[in-house]
Amino acid sequence: MPLTGKQRRHLRGLGHHLEPVVIVGSSGVTEGVIAAVEQALHDHELIKVKINEGPEDRHEAAKKLAEGTGAELAQLLGRTALLFKKRDEDSKFEKLEKI
């Protein structure tokens, strides 16, 4: 389900204080990075990912991460991507659908 503008704005507010939990290195988006992002999304649902210089630009890298993990890209600000993927059960973001 794609996020609405109001939902993205709400997630950006919640993610403002977060620190990046995964850093994409000079090798770009690899299988290992995607696996780390999937694990972090499962644990936290809303994460920041720092995208360093690599073979792809920041827009391509953020898109690959979102597609590779099945997450929604809530924001791309500079080299930091805010990704969201709601857990099926025990989610902290149940009320997000009502926004």
Side-chain angles (χ1 to χ4, degrees):
M1 166 190 103
L3 295 173
T4 65
K6 286 185 177 185
Q7 290 171 331
R8 286 182 197 281
R9 184 171 54 234
H10 182 71
L11 289 173
R12 286 195 309 260
L14 293 174
H16 178 72
H17 72 282
L18 297 177
E19 292 293 321
V21 293
V22 178
I23 297 175
V24 178
S26 60
S27 300
V29 179
T30 62
E31 293 296 322
V33 170
I34 290 175
V37 169
E38 279 182 342
Q39 183 62 48
L41 282 167
H42 182 273
D43 294 343
H44 303 288
E45 295 180 279
L46 182 67
I47 64 167
K48 278 187 178 175
V49 178
K50 179 79 172 168
I51 302 170
N52 290 329
E53 289 288 334
E56 62 260 309
D57 73 350
R58 61 193 178 100
H59 296 285
E60 286 179 43
K63 185 178 175 184
K64 275 187 186 178
L65 286 172
E67 289 174 355
T69 59
E72 290 286 334
L73 180 63
Q75 181 181 34
L76 180 61
L77 186 62
R79 297 201 158 274
T80 304
L82 182 66
L83 296 173
F84 172 72
K85 184 175 181 184
K86 185 174 170 274
R87 281 193 293 254
D88 292 333
E89 37 189 72
D90 194 32
S91 175
K92 297 181 280 186
F93 295 92
E94 290 296 334
K95 65 180 183 179
L96 186 65
E97 294 172 359
K98 297 177 181 131
I99 294 177

